Structure formats: C-alpha cells, structure tokens
Amino acid sequence: MSALFFLSTIKVNKVFGIKFIVRQVRMRVKRKAGGTPCEREEYTLAQFRVRRRNAVRMGGMFMMKKVSDFLGGLPMTIVAGVFLLLDVVPHLTGKQFLPFDPAWVTIIISGIPLLYLAVWRVIHNPGIRKISSALLICIAMFAAIGTGDYFAAGEVVFIMAIGALLEEATTNRAKKGLKNLISLAPTKGRRLKDGKEEMIPAEKIRQGDILRVLPGETIPVDGKIIRGETSVDQSIMTGESLPVDKGVGEEVFCGTLNRFGAIDIAASKVGEDSSLQKLIRMVEEAENKQAPMQRIADQWASWLVPVALLIAIVSYLVTGNLVTAVTVLVVFCPCALVLATPTAIMAAIGQATKHGVIIKSGEALEKMGKVDTIAFDKTGTLTYGRLEVSEVLSFEPDVTEMELLALAGSAEAKSEHPLGKAITACAKEKGLSLVESEDFRMTSGRGIFAEVSGRRLLCGNERFLAENGVLPGEKAREALERLRMQGKASVLVADGERCLGVLGLSDVLRPEAKGMVSRLADMHTRTVLLTGDHQKTADYFAKQVGITEVRSELLPEEKVREIEALQGEKHTVCMIGDGVNDAPALKTADVSVAMGNMGSDLAVEAADVALMSDDLSKIPYLKRLSNATVRTIRFSITLSMCINFVAIVLSVLGVLTPTTGAVVHNAGSCFVVLIAALLYDRKFE
C-alpha cells in the first residue's frame, strides 16, 4: 500500500506540478501523535485523497482559465470575426460553400470565455452579483442555437468579446514602479565595531549600531548624526529641491543620499521600520485599495436578466412561438450597453494622448469629473525643480553686481554643491569671464574658501563667515531675512574681512501655474499645496500662484494623512506630483496626475494620469475631457436602452426574427461606437 501511495504521489506531481501535496501530508503524519502503523497509513491515504481531489479541481480550473484567456485574446477574436463575416454570405446568396456553418467557429471561440465568466460569477460572486450580463448573453446564445439561428448566437458573443478587449485595453495598469522603489533600498552599510569598519548587509544592521556614511553613499537606515557634518539629498523622502545641511544631533533617513562630508550615525529605525520601507509599504497598501472598474452592464444585470427572461417567457406564453421568445432574448442582450463605456474611454484616451496626456484607466476619467479638490506638490510640479540665481545684491559701492557674480562664479567653479553649480552656471550664461581659483577648500554644510586673482574669497552661510571672522552688517542681515521670507536660499560672498554681497537662489516657478490655478478656481475647484519644503518657501510660492491653503514640511506619510483628511471631509481629491516621495499620496488620492517628462518613473507608474509635456495648463483640459466622457457614456447607455425597448416591442409583435433582431441589435452597438468616436476630435481648449 505504501508503494502504491508513493507511485500515486509521483503521478500527481507529474500531472499537476503540486509538489507541496506530499510534503504537507508527510508533515501532518509526523505531527499526528499515537496510533498504530496501519492507522497512520490509513490517515495518510485519507489526507492524500482529499488533497488530490483539490489538486484535480485546481488543475481543471487553471486549465479552463488558460483556454478562456487564449480564446478571448485579440488573435482568436479576429478569427471569430472572420468566420462570422463568412456566415453572412450564405444568408445573402442562399448558397452554402462550407460543409459546416461558419458561425459555429465564432460561437466556440467567443462563447467559451463568456460561458466561463458567467459560471465563475455564479459560483464565486456573492448575492445578486451572481447574475451578470454574461449570464444573460449565454442564455440568449443557447436559445438562438436551440432554434437553429447560429448567426444570432455568434453575433451576440462576438460583440461581447470586442467589448471585453476594449475594456482590457483601457484598464491595464503598469505596476513595475514599486520595483523601482524597492531597488532604491540600500543593501549594505558600513558598521563601526571595536574601532574597525566592516561592510554588512542592511538586514543585519540593528538598532543602536554605529554606522559610517561616506560622501556619495546612500544612508542605509534611519538614524541620528553623532559625528560630522554634511549635506543630505533627501528629495526621495521630502521632495525638497535643495540638499539639507545636517549636523550632530539631527536625523537622517534611509534611502537618502549623503552628498559631501563623512558622518557617523546611530541607527534608530532599521529594517521594516525605516522610512523607505514604510514608503514601500504605503505604495503597496494604496495599490491594494484600488478597486477595479466595474462594468456598467454588470451593475444593471441584477434586474436586466430577470426582466429579459420574464418578457421572453410571457412572449412565448402569449404567442406560443418559441422564435419570438428567442428574438426577445437576442435583442435584450446589453451589448451596446457594454460597449458604451470602453469605446467612449478609448476615444477620450486617444484624444488626451494627442495633447500629451496619458490616461491609464477609464476609472480615472470618470473620477476626474467628480474632483472638487486638487492637491499640488511644489518641487517639479508648480516649479521646474532646478535652482537658478534670482538676485545678486552688492553691499559695497566699488563692487558691481556683475563683478560680484563673476567672483562668486570663479570661487564656486570647483564646488560640487548644487548652490555652487547654479552660481557658476549663471555666471557663464551671462558671458562673464571666470578665473581659475587656487587653494580651494570646502567645509561641508557651511561654504567654500578659494583664492581668485589674489583675493581670499569666502562663499557660504552666515555661520561660515562668522567662523572666519566676517560679521555681516545690518544691510546684509536685512537682505538675508527678506530672502528667507521669499523662500530663497542665500550665499554670502566675502573678501577678507568685508562682506561684499549676497546671491539669492530659488526654484523656478512654471509660467503656466498661476493661470492654471485661476482656471480651476473658475471651475469651482479647491487647490491645496502639499510640500516637504519649509513653511516660508511654501508660502512664498503658494502666494505667487494664488493657492491659499498650504501644508508644508511634510514627509510622505504626512502627505497621505493630509489626502485622507480631505477625503474625510467628503471631497473627491486629485493629487498632482512628480517625485518618488509623492507615490503614496498619488495612490491614496481618488485620482492622481504625475509630471511625466521630468518626474520619477515611480510617480508616473503610481499615478492614473501622466502629463508627458509637464504642461500644467492640461489639468483644466483633463477635467473638461472627463466631464464630456461621462456625459457621452450616459447618453450612449440611454440610447442603447431605447433601441432595446423598441426592438423588444417589435419582437413581441413578430416583426423581428432572431436574425433581423441580431442586425438591429448590432446597429445599436454601431451607433454607440460612432457616438464615442466623436470624442476623439472634439475641441476642449
């Protein structure tokens, strides 16, 4: 018996590939206490039979699903359409040129996936959702076959196959962005132990470990700086356009980039508790919350199916003619109803693509029409996300603004700091002559020293100048305070003991941002700014574009909470962003838009819509397009129901047969497609 059991397991494994069955049974036997050898063997066989039955059932369902997917694909649907077209020839000429009715090929190819779907919903869907449009069409298909009208049977299932393909084309969502986020997670860290450095896997880092992070390395865990100073690029977490200067006692986050100085940190949050891992989990959870778009036909099927069957039965009882009942079922099939949504969405998506707007789902279009609140990220969304010198202020009469810029550009030419690079780039753009600097030295997070044409120049913050014996005067302090109020970064320039002037740098506002906010206000749409930048920076840019509600200094999880708070106030929220840190908020919002040209891949993948030209003026256009799409769908549904009603009356009166009913039914579907196609060339600007 043991040998028979062993051979059976080999057969099951070979046929179904369910290798875990034998392993699970044997583990259960080991855990079973007591019993004679015969009892244990009997228990083993009983458990195995149960699992073999489950494996057979699972294998059968898997095979049916594979067959259904193959037959429902585009190539086989095209084959089904060709054979349905061939079936028209005998009806027109009265001559049969094939030994079989071509419509049978269409029925088999397009009917099996529909039958599988109907049965699956009857078995697995709860309550009234067991009744679907697929079930009604299967009933009509079998009724038409029963009366010998194979063309009518093939026609209804073929149109449903077309509708399924269109819907699939509009609702497929790419999900590789999460993999990109996971790839940002550091894999190793440099741990200090007994005065020695050792590289260890990130998963082996423990809370309290002391880690050294060198310039250019990614910080492997959340922690607090205990030695050293640096500037950290934490745009992945906060979206800030500038590196943030960090010193002893300040926190750093996992996944952020150490730009300059070497630092030692004490690990505080490791593994799954780190900020980056929380960011990954939030994207996963938000992805799971996204409900698939439910077809309108299935929402109405709970009453369509019973009504259709009732009318067909009553028609048969009154007329005594089975053909009349079958005709009612054929014309009642909601094919036009099913096509109304995907065809309108396909046309709208094509229209949007022409304007550089990539829409990933029909659900996004529908929800955009209901949006009453739009939340914006700042850096890379309202702004370009690049630093430029906005002001050059000289405090000395013998130094002009252009001379000050040339001196600063020459001194910063060897700097790797974004502020220094922006200053040098500005000087070059203005055609200023830059001089090779000597004795260049950088102090991480503070500033630089360089000799330019015999001048000992200092470029940095107020603290850096003070440490080198230069105290800015009252004029300099007033300028610094004004720049801070405007949300701008500032670089002081000193020569020896004199403070020569200050350069103000800021992100660049998109020129179309203000007009876009104004048009949204005209459409009674509320606008909110959600950013990781400092309060003064956020307030300055919000005022420039006309946004009155500002939430600043937000981490990714705090942006999510702000979105959820707006939704809790019964608002339909659209989030617009461009960075990795925006991905959780983009997923949480009812509908989301990413800046696709300069934005991160993750943000584009997480969002429902991508603006490939980064043109914010497309936001009002998108809202108008979504409104028109929803109106078109509603009109098409109403039209299809009216055609169905008239066709039912004509069927009951005996005017229509299953074949002519199928033609009328097909005409209704064509009308729906033509109405949807009008969206493609409509002007919304």
Side-chain angles (χ1 to χ4, degrees), residues 448-469:
I448 61 102
F449 167 84
E451 285 193 16
V452 177
S453 300
R455 289 183 158 187
R456 300 172 61 84
L457 297 178
L458 298 170
C459 299
N461 57 30
E462 198 172 357
R463 181 180 174 186
F464 179 66
L465 265 64
E467 289 175 350
N468 287 274

Side-chain angles (χ1 to χ4, degrees), residues 170-244:
T170 60
T171 58
N172 279 340
R173 302 279 299 276
K175 296 182 180 180
K176 62 182 179 182
L178 185 58
K179 295 179 182 178
N180 296 338
L181 179 57
I182 293 172
S183 69
L184 296 174
T187 57
K188 293 182 178 180
R190 183 179 283 101
R191 184 171 65 184
L192 298 179
K193 192 173 184 180
D194 300 328
K196 297 181 180 180
E197 293 183 11
E198 57 176 348
M199 293 298 294
I200 62 172
E203 59 268 19
K204 291 187 177 181
I205 299 174
R206 299 291 178 261
Q207 188 173 358
D209 283 351
I210 305 302
L211 306 171
R212 178 160 292 168
V213 186
L214 301 180
E217 291 184 343
T218 301
I219 297 172
V221 295
D222 289 9
K224 187 172 289 187
I225 298 176
I226 59 174
R227 282 187 294 273
E229 294 179 339
T230 188
S231 294
V232 178
D233 180 355
Q234 53 187 35
S235 58
I236 182 178
M237 298 300 299
T238 65
E240 291 175 281
S241 54
L242 293 173
V244 179

Side-chain angles (χ1 to χ4, degrees), residues 14 129 160 164 265 454 483 664 670:
K14 184 176 181 181
R129 290 180 58 196
M160 284 299 294
I265 66 173
L483 291 172
V664 172
C670 291

Side-chain angles (χ1 to χ4, degrees), residues 384-463:
Y384 284 109
R386 64 172 185 262
L387 290 172
E388 289 186 1
V389 175
S390 58
E391 290 188 55
V392 180
L393 302 175
S394 176
F395 303 145
E396 298 293 333
D398 60 332
V399 180
T400 67
E401 292 180 351
M402 288 298 100
E403 288 174 340
L404 179 66
L405 179 59
L407 288 172
S410 299
E412 294 279 11
K414 296 179 181 178
S415 174
E416 291 298 319
H417 197 284
L419 293 179
K421 287 183 174 181
I423 291 171
T424 303
C426 180
K428 289 180 178 179
E429 286 176 6
K430 293 186 179 297
L432 300 178
S433 178
L434 301 185
V435 181
E436 181 77 16
S437 64
E438 299 177 359
D439 194 19
F440 177 86
R441 297 193 300 270
M442 171 182 277
T443 302
S444 298
R446 305 282 183 84
I448 61 102
F449 167 84
E451 285 193 16
V452 177
S453 300
R455 289 183 158 187
R456 300 172 61 84
L457 297 178
L458 298 170
C459 299
N461 57 30
E462 198 172 357
R463 181 180 174 186

